[in-house]
């Protein structure tokens, strides 16, 4: 809920009166947007200061009570229009009533904002082509600790699926910077707001309950949220408490390839009938691309969120307000995946046929080939909490002081290192062929699939299964952030001319993030590798039937629908019983990095007012200085030697003698000037210009100095490490826009932006040795000579230019209740992927064009909306493949759209029912590697529906 005062001369009042429904509805107060932010505002440092259009009627204030979908759009439009920089906002009609079921899904409706989904749910945000690590996310003006681990995204990336959307009362996306904004956002700064008791005049209660239904799993689960707020002692003391509960029981259907191997050592005699890979215009280097594997998988998932807020506010005097608040969110994801597939080894391939790009479209493997059956888990448990204390003091009519301190803590629990699980049984000595014929989905042939008899039509039939790898892996993450901020605001003599406002402030932040990896890969996880030991006697083997998945995709009809399966945890227990006493699959901690980051900052910012060609003109000049000091400590494995494995000739084991600690430190200072100009050409026509320098610090995992051994296979050794001396990304930014507001609910905007970003981090690769704990190089256990590792490490590198155009239209069709929102973003960069060069180290990830369309209706008792989002193809991940050819380097995502809808019916001012639908056309997520026929992933997350009720008093 957002409160705003409206001048009785503004057109907003007329619209609000015509659409005002009840006194229980949203109260909107724009005085904080049209004038300087009050000293009592806990997030004052990131609010915009605007110069009033003129003195006429400026003292006449009228409270207007409004509600409805259309008025939430008017509120967001008001924020956009009256800001000095380029800002877009989401202004929900009421607490817990975001226009979409997920916070990230709502953000993607904003011009220039795109999202990455995790199992069909929005998780990470990209703004103007810059991914999640380039966007600073604040909650009530404070940085929130993040439990994100390296398997998901950068350690600085904020995962929106960990925060319950019902706790959010508004969101603002700052695309241009001001000196008051804390640094870190080359892409944007996103401020998430939660409700406070002084947002309401008195008692407020809002609640909702619904059942969400997943079409793929055919299961329903409950959601519920509430907000209770009241004021006491003549309104001087306020208490607000809110809570939410969400549960999803979904099913994700997938076909997967884990990567494409480049030049992995396939004999030339086996390629194109002995001719090898031909040089072509699209493959001038003669590269050979081979799929690592091809699997079919069904993932069952329970996603649960529990969250809440508690806020206390006290108006100690007319000049002093104190706010104490806390927020928590607990997220858990419990999974079970059943899959089968085939793993290919390039050196063992025969009869390879390639296309003009060097992509293997037909190939066969007999030596070392097996049909694998998996039971996998990808569980996740996180906690995020934040507590803060804020003091607002209006020292005088023209001077105010804001002091804010906060502490935030986030954890990802490793569950004893068993967060992820892979239990595998297989049928060895298979001859499997892989085929790609122009359909989206490739297919394999040659596996056991009896046409009659017991288990007819079941991959594996009644064959004996054999033991192979049994892997546990998990991340433990702990992030602690303490912050203090002081802001002094001094008003000028004249609110319209000369120096309108002057601000000065200081900032201190202490962020300590610990990321630990637990894994038994290379240790006990390989105890039974090699398909030499039959599965435990009497261990139950069943049949899994996927019912036919990915229908509608070309090639889906060739996927088998049934295969052998088993219970993974039961298999771990059964194999443990076969081992000597004391044996355990429990994974040890193999690495642990702790980054301590201290930031000392301060800023000056001055707002000037005046007129240019007799039209109101406002300018802001500012500078922010930040000194960053980083200390990195790493717990690394003390490698002793590489060993052969008795049961598996395809992999080496690793012996170690405990752990060692390595550390490093660095520091740097940034001076970041900003300027923004707002010129009102006409009463309804505004142009803006902004110039700034911004920075984003290196990802936390890139700073780790720890060496990690990635691959230990004959002829294939790979290692990676971080670099504590990395410098931040630095960007020079220009923005220009023009906005036309023909009425209170309509606008048309067109803008362009330019970013020149230096110090991009690239992954450099070298070939060399890795030292053992004795200081001597690790040796190849087969040859006895020092093993040559492909060592991947980050380094500061190239500069990239990103430029783009954004356009948006919002229009209500007179008094019909109908309206539309349309926006589109076109972006371009001089650093794009060249698929013909697999050694390309750098291209911008996340860069894509996007568009949104919303058709809405809001009149009488009905609210309805139909929304479509489109995102063009984009590069999601890039790293150079190891020099010996192993490992996945590129992930690209095909263009995709999603159609969603929602309908509300209000019985009266207190009660309403609603229905929502997501992904109505059941659009699949499709990924590929260098070329579109290099299949990586087809994901069906299904349609989702909600039916619920809301109550507001």
């Amino acid at each position: 809920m957002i409160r705003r005062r409206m001048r009785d001369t503004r057109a907003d009042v007329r619209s609000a009166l015509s659409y005002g429904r009840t006194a229980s509805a949203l109260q909107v107060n724009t005085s904080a947007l049209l004038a300087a932010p009050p000293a009592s505002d806990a997030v004052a440092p990131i609010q915009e200061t605007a110069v009033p259009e003129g003195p006429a009627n400026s003292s006449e204030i009228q409270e207007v009570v409004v509600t409805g979908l259309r008025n939430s759009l008017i509120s967001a439009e008001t924020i956009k229009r009256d800001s000095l920089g380029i800002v877009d906002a989401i202004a929900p009609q009421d607490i817990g009533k975001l226009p979409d079921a997920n916070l990230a899904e709502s953000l993607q409706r904003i011009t220039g904002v795109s999202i990455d989904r995790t199992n069909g749910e929005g998780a990470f945000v990209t703004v103007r082509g810059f991914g999640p690590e380039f966007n600073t996310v604040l909650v009530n003006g404070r940085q929130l600790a993040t439990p994100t681990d390296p398997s998901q995204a950068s350690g600085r990336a904020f995962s929106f699926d960990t925060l319950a959307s019902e706790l959010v009362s508004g969101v603002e996306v700052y695309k241009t910077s001001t000196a008051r904004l804390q640094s870190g956002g080359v892409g944007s700064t996103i401020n998430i707001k939660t409700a406070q008791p002084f947002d309401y005049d008195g008692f407020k209660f809002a609640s909702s309950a619904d059942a969400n239904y997943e079409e793929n799993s055919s299961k329903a689960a409950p959601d519920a949220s509430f907000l209770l707020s009241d004021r006491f002692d003549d309104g001087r003391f306020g208490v607000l408490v809110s809570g939410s509960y969400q549960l999803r029981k979904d099913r994700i259907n997938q076909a997967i390839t884990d990567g494409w191997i480049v030049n992995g050592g396939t004999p030339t005699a086996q390629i194109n009938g002995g001719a090898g890979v031909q040089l072509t215009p699209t493959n001038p280097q003669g590269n050979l691309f081979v799929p690592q594997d091809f699997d079919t998988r069904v993932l069952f998932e329970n996603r649960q969120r529990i969250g809440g807020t508690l806020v206390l506010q006290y108006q100690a005097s007319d000049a002093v307000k104190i706010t104490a608040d806390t927020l928590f969110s607990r997220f858990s994801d419990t999974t079970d995946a059943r899959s089968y597939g085939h793993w290919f080894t390039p050196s063992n391939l025969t009869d390879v046929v390639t296309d003009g790009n060097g992509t293997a479209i037909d190939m066969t493997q007999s030596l070392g080939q097996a049909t694998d059956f998996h039971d996998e888990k990808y569980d996740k448990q996180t906690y995020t909490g934040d507590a803060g204390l804020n003091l607002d003091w209006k020292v005088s009519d023209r001077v105010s002081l804001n002091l804010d301190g906060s502490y935030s803590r986030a954890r990802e629990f490793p569950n004893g290192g068993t967060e992820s699980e892979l239990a595998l049984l297989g049928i060895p000595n298979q001859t499997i062929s892989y085929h790609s014929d122009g359909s989206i989905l490739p297919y394999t042939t040659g596996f056991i699939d009896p046409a009659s008899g017991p288990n007819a039509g079941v991959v594996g039939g009644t064959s004996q299964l054999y033991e192979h790898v049994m892997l546990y892996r998990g991340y433990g993450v702990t992030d602690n952030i303490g912050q203090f901020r002081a802001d002094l605001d001094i008003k000028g003599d004249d609110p319209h001319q000369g120096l309108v406002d002057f601000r000065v402030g200081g900032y201190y932040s202490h962020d300590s993030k610990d990321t630990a990896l637990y894994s038994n890969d290379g240790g006990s996880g390989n105890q039974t590798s090699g398909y030499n030991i039959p599965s435990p006697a009497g261990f139950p083997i069943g049949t899994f039937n996927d019912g036919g998945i990915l229908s509608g995709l070309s090639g889906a009809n060739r996927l088998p629908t049934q295969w052998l399966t088993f219970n993974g945890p039961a298999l771990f227990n059964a194999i443990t019983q076969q081992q000597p006493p004391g044996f355990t699959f429990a994974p040890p901690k193999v690495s642990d990095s702790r980054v301590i980051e201290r930031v000392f900052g301060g800023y000056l910012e001055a707002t000037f007012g005046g007129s240019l060609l007799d039209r109101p003109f406002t300018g802001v000049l500012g500078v922010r200085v930040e000194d960053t000091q980083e200390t990195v400590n790493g717990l690394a494995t003390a490698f002793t030697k590489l060993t052969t494995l008795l049961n598996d000739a395809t992999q080496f084991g690793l012996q170690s003698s405990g752990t060692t600690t390595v550390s490093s430190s660095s520091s740097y200072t940034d001076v970041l000037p900003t300027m923004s100009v707002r010129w009102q050409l006409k009463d309804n026509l505004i142009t803006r210009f902004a110039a700034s320098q911004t920075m984003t610090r290196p990802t936390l995992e890139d700073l780790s100095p720890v060496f990690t051994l990635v691959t230990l296979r004959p002829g294939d050794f790979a290692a990676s490490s971080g670099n504590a001396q990395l410098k931040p990304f630095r960007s020079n930014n220009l923005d220009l826009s023009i906005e036309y507001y023909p009425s209170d609910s309509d606008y048309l905007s067109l803008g362009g932006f330019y970013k020149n970003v230096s110090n991009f981090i690239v992954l450099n690769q070298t070939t060399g040795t890795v030292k053992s704990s004795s200081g001597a190089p690790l040796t190849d256990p087969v040859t006895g000579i020092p093993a040559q590792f492909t060592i991947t490490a980050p380094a500061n590198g190239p500069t990239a230019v990103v430029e783009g155009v954004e356009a948006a239209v919002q229009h209500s069709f007179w008094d019909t209740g109908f309206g539309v929102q349309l926006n589109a973003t076109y972006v371009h960069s001089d650093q794009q992927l060249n698929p013909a060069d697999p050694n390309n180290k750098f291209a911008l990830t996340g860069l894509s064009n996007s568009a949104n369309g919303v058709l809405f209706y809001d009149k009488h008792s009905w609210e309805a909306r139909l929304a479509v989002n489109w995102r063009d193809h984009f590069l999601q991940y890039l790293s150079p493949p190891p020099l010996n050819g192993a490992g996945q380097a590129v992930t690209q995502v095909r263009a995709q759209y999603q159609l969603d809808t929602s309908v509300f019916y209000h019985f009266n001012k207190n009660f309403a029912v609603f229905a929502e639908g997501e992904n109505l056309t059941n659009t699949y997520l499709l990924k590929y590697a260098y070329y579109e026929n290099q299949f990586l992933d087809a994901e069906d997350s299904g349609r989702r529906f909600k039916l619920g009720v809301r109550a507001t008093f």
Side-chain angles (χ1 to χ4, degrees):
M1 178 172 289
I2 300 173
R3 301 191 61 211
R4 66 181 185 186
R5 288 191 182 91
M6 297 183 177
R7 287 180 172 78
D8 58 0
T9 59
R10 295 186 70 102
D12 295 47
V13 172
R14 297 192 295 273
S15 171
L17 288 171
S18 66
Y19 274 79
R21 192 178 287 128
T22 70
S24 66
L26 171 67
Q27 295 184 356
V28 188
N29 188 329
T30 56
S31 61
L33 300 170
L34 301 176
S40 60
D41 193 332
V43 292
I46 66 166
Q47 291 190 352
E48 297 287 351
T49 302
V51 175
E53 297 171 10
N57 298 319
S58 62
S59 63
E60 300 177 28
I61 303 296
Q62 178 178 348
E63 287 286 343
V64 179
V65 180
V66 297
T67 190
L69 176 59
R70 178 176 171 181
N71 286 290
S72 71
L73 300 179
I74 293 174
S75 301
E77 177 186 324
T78 302
I79 295 172
K80 179 180 181 69
R81 180 183 59 235
D82 295 326
S83 65
L84 290 178
I86 298 176
V87 180
D88 285 292
I90 301 171
Q93 308 152 38
D94 211 340
I95 184 70
K97 200 177 177 185
L98 280 169
D100 294 276
N102 173 280
L103 181 56
E105 303 282 348
S106 292
L107 283 169
Q108 72 173 335
R109 311 295 177 195
I110 290 177
T111 311
V113 179
S114 302
I115 65 172
D116 289 332
R117 291 183 170 89
T118 299
N119 296 341
E121 188 172 355
F124 298 102
V125 169
T126 295
V127 180
R128 290 179 164 182
F130 288 88
E133 67 270 25
F134 291 96
N135 299 292
T136 299
V137 178
L138 309 175
V139 176
N140 297 324
R142 304 163 179 155
Q143 185 177 349
L144 200 65
T146 61
T148 308
D149 70 57
S151 69
Q152 304 165 295
S154 155
R156 295 190 189 275
F158 184 84
S159 181
F160 284 86
D161 63 358
T162 62
L163 183 65
S165 60
E166 286 84 354
L167 305 179
V168 175
S169 64
V171 184
E172 296 169 347
V173 179
Y174 292 78
K175 298 178 182 177
T176 56
S177 180
T178 72
R180 285 173 288 135
L181 293 168
Q182 67 184 68
S183 65
V186 165
S188 71
T189 297
I190 301 172
N191 184 45
I192 302 169
K193 297 181 177 180
T194 59
Q196 297 180 343
F198 283 6
D199 293 341
Y200 311 101
D201 290 332
F203 177 79
K204 174 70 176 182
F205 176 78
S207 65
S208 68
D210 66 73
N212 67 78
Y213 176 79
E214 299 281 342
E215 185 179 60
N216 278 0
S217 65
S218 300
K219 291 184 178 181
D223 296 334
S225 65
F226 78 93
L227 176 143
L228 178 63
S229 179
D230 205 355
R231 298 174 70 165
F232 309 93
D233 190 19
D234 296 327
R236 297 169 63 87
F237 180 70
V239 180
L240 182 148
V241 60
S242 69
S244 71
Y245 175 84
Q246 298 176 341
L247 178 64
R248 281 185 58 194
K249 298 181 178 181
D250 60 9
R251 166 178 164 161
I252 310 298
N253 302 319
Q254 288 180 283
I256 302 173
T257 292
D258 285 314
W260 283 74
I261 302 171
V262 185
N263 303 327
T266 303
T268 301
Q270 298 296 334
I271 303 172
N272 295 321
V277 180
Q278 302 302 303
L279 302 182
T280 66
T282 56
N283 188 20
Q285 299 177 2
N287 297 307
L288 173 64
F289 301 89
V290 171
Q292 178 68 87
D293 61 345
F294 182 63
D295 292 359
T296 301
R297 182 171 72 186
V298 176
L299 172 70
F300 300 93
E301 183 178 44
N302 285 356
R303 297 169 69 90
Q304 182 187 75
R305 292 183 195 84
I306 301 174
T309 65
L310 173 64
V311 186
L312 306 177
Q313 287 188 291
Y314 178 57
Q315 192 75 49
S317 67
D318 291 343
V320 177
K321 181 175 73 174
I322 301 172
T323 301
D325 61 272
T326 184
L327 172 149
F328 84 93
S329 181
R330 184 177 292 273
F331 173 76
S332 66
D333 190 5
T334 305
T335 62
D336 183 24
R338 304 300 175 100
S339 62
Y340 88 96
H342 302 91
W343 186 272
F344 298 103
T345 303
S347 59
N348 294 340
L349 295 176
T350 61
D351 302 322
V352 178
V353 178
T354 66
D355 66 5
N357 297 325
T359 301
I361 57 176
D362 272 289
M363 62 184 196
T364 299
Q365 181 176 336
S366 298
L367 180 63
Q369 182 58 270
T371 298
D372 293 329
F373 305 93
H374 322 99
D375 183 32
E376 302 169 89
K377 295 185 182 299
Y378 306 93
D379 294 352
K380 179 182 176 183
Q381 297 182 50
T382 69
Y383 166 83
T384 303
D386 178 78
L389 183 64
N390 181 273
L391 172 68
D392 283 323
W393 179 23
K394 189 174 182 180
V395 181
S396 67
D397 290 342
R398 291 171 51 188
V399 179
S400 59
L401 177 67
N402 181 284
L403 302 176
D404 189 270
S406 64
Y407 170 75
S408 180
R409 178 177 174 86
R411 294 194 65 189
E412 178 179 348
F413 301 97
N415 192 25
T418 62
E419 191 178 40
S420 295
E421 168 201 298
L422 169 63
L424 189 154
L425 294 174
I427 305 173
N429 305 317
Q430 301 289 290
T431 296
I432 305 297
S433 296
Y434 173 94
H435 313 278
S436 177
D437 58 1
S439 298
I440 291 178
L441 294 176
Y443 66 102
T444 53
T445 58
F447 48 82
I448 297 173
D449 186 9
S452 61
N455 275 0
V458 178
V459 176
T462 59
S463 301
Q464 172 67 53
L465 302 185
Y466 291 83
E467 298 173 9
H468 194 42
V469 294
M470 300 289 292
L471 303 180
Y472 280 131
R473 175 180 287 233
Y475 280 98
V477 177
T478 301
D479 190 14
N480 295 284
I481 298 178
Q483 292 182 311
F484 178 76
R485 189 181 67 225
D487 300 275
L488 182 67
D489 184 7
I490 305 173
K491 306 298 182 191
D493 295 328
D494 189 329
H496 315 295
Q497 298 288 332
L499 181 62
V500 173
D501 188 73
F502 179 77
R503 291 174 179 246
V504 59
Y507 169 82
Y508 172 73
S509 173
H510 182 282
D511 186 355
S512 174
K513 187 160 189 176
D514 186 286
T515 303
L517 172 62
Y518 300 78
S519 176
N520 69 353
D521 193 1
S524 63
N526 300 102
Q527 178 76 10
T528 57
S529 295
Y531 307 100
N532 297 304
I533 306 171
S535 60
F539 183 76
I541 303 296
T543 298
F544 182 81
N545 189 332
D546 68 13
I549 64 173
L550 302 175
S551 59
L553 281 185
S554 57
N557 60 315
R558 299 176 299 206
L559 297 177
T561 60
Q562 299 183 78
W563 60 85
L564 299 180
T565 192
F566 51 88
N567 181 280
L571 182 61
F572 271 95
N573 291 334
I575 294 179
T576 299
Q577 297 303 315
Q578 295 178 329
Q579 306 305 313
F583 174 84
T584 178
F585 281 113
K589 183 189 291 188
V590 296
S591 67
D592 191 351
S593 296
R594 184 185 184 197
V595 179
I596 299 175
E597 186 174 82
R598 300 176 181 87
V599 179
F600 301 83
Y603 72 89
L604 299 173
E605 186 176 83
T607 303
F608 299 89
S611 62
L612 179 64
L613 300 179
D614 295 323
R615 298 303 306 171
F617 175 91
T618 308
V620 180
L621 295 175
V623 63
R624 187 177 188 90
V625 179
E626 289 195 346
D627 179 70
T628 303
Q629 301 176 6
E630 291 171 335
T631 302
V632 187
N633 297 304
L635 183 67
T637 301
F639 312 124
T640 303
K641 62 188 247 182
L642 303 178
T643 63
T644 57
L645 298 174
L646 294 177
N647 298 324
D648 189 358
T650 67
Q651 186 163 311
F652 292 133
L654 175 66
Q655 293 184 358
S656 62
S657 59
T659 58
T660 60
T661 300
V662 293
S663 62
S664 184
S665 62
S666 65
S667 63
Y668 47 85
T669 301
D670 287 276
V671 179
L672 306 171
T674 64
M675 179 188 72
S676 62
V677 173
R678 180 183 185 272
W679 186 23
Q680 192 159 339
L681 301 175
K682 294 184 178 180
D683 290 344
N684 56 7
L685 185 65
I686 298 171
T687 186
R688 307 177 194 272
F689 172 76
S692 65
Q693 290 184 346
T694 54
M695 56 88 81
T696 290
R697 295 177 178 87
T699 63
L700 299 178
E701 51 272 7
D702 279 345
L703 294 171
S704 172
V706 174
F707 256 94
T708 301
L709 302 188
V710 179
T711 305
L712 299 175
R713 294 180 180 274
D716 180 4
F717 299 100
S720 65
S721 73
N723 179 359
Q725 303 304 314
L726 291 172
K727 298 302 181 183
F729 305 85
R730 294 188 171 101
S731 178
N732 297 317
N733 315 297
L734 297 175
D735 286 85
L736 179 66
S737 71
I738 188 166
E739 301 159 8
Y740 174 57
Y741 298 91
S743 71
D744 52 327
S745 60
D746 301 341
Y747 75 86
L748 171 68
S749 68
L750 178 66
F753 60 89
Y754 171 90
K755 294 178 180 290
N756 188 310
V757 187
S758 61
N759 284 347
F760 264 99
I761 295 174
V762 297
L763 294 176
N764 281 337
Q765 292 183 328
T766 58
T767 299
T769 60
V770 173
K771 291 183 179 180
S772 68
S773 56
S774 67
L778 291 172
T779 59
D780 186 323
V782 174
T783 65
I785 64 176
Q788 295 298 305
F789 282 80
T790 298
I791 302 171
T792 303
N796 290 113
T799 295
V801 172
V802 177
E803 50 199 2
V805 177
E806 298 176 337
V809 176
Q810 180 173 295
H811 179 63
S812 296
F813 296 102
W814 307 286
D815 197 31
T816 64
F818 285 99
V820 296
Q821 289 178 289
L822 302 171
N823 65 60
T825 302
Y826 169 80
V827 293
H828 176 266
S829 173
D830 61 346
Q831 297 285 353
Q832 301 196 36
L833 178 69
N834 176 13
D837 181 11
N839 293 314
N840 180 20
K841 298 177 181 179
F842 179 58
L844 280 185
T845 57
L847 195 73
S848 66
N849 304 322
S850 61
N852 289 280
V854 177
L855 174 66
F856 64 87
Y857 177 81
D858 179 12
K859 194 169 185 180
H860 305 307
S861 298
W862 290 95
E863 297 176 35
R865 66 193 293 271
L866 183 67
V868 62
N869 170 264
W870 172 81
R871 186 177 186 183
D872 203 356
H873 76 277
F874 66 97
L875 176 65
Q876 187 178 48
Y877 177 77
L878 170 67
S879 70
L883 299 178
N884 52 24
Q888 170 57 11
V890 170
T891 298
Q892 299 188 73
V893 181
R894 289 179 184 252
Q896 182 188 28
Y897 78 95
Q898 181 165 309
L899 185 66
D900 307 320
T901 189
S902 63
V903 178
F904 278 77
Y905 178 76
H906 297 264
F907 292 104
N908 52 44
K909 67 180 183 179
N910 300 122
F911 296 100
V913 293
F914 63 91
E916 299 176 356
E918 296 180 63
N919 194 21
L920 297 180
T921 57
N922 196 24
T923 302
Y924 298 155
L925 177 66
L926 301 174
K927 300 182 181 182
Y928 61 97
Y930 297 89
Y931 298 97
E932 286 197 354
N933 66 338
Q934 295 179 0
F935 172 83
L936 285 179
D937 187 17
E939 179 181 304
D940 167 23
S941 58
R943 299 177 180 90
R944 298 176 293 282
F945 301 95
K946 278 189 177 183
L947 183 63
V949 60
R950 286 187 58 85
T952 306
F953 298 94

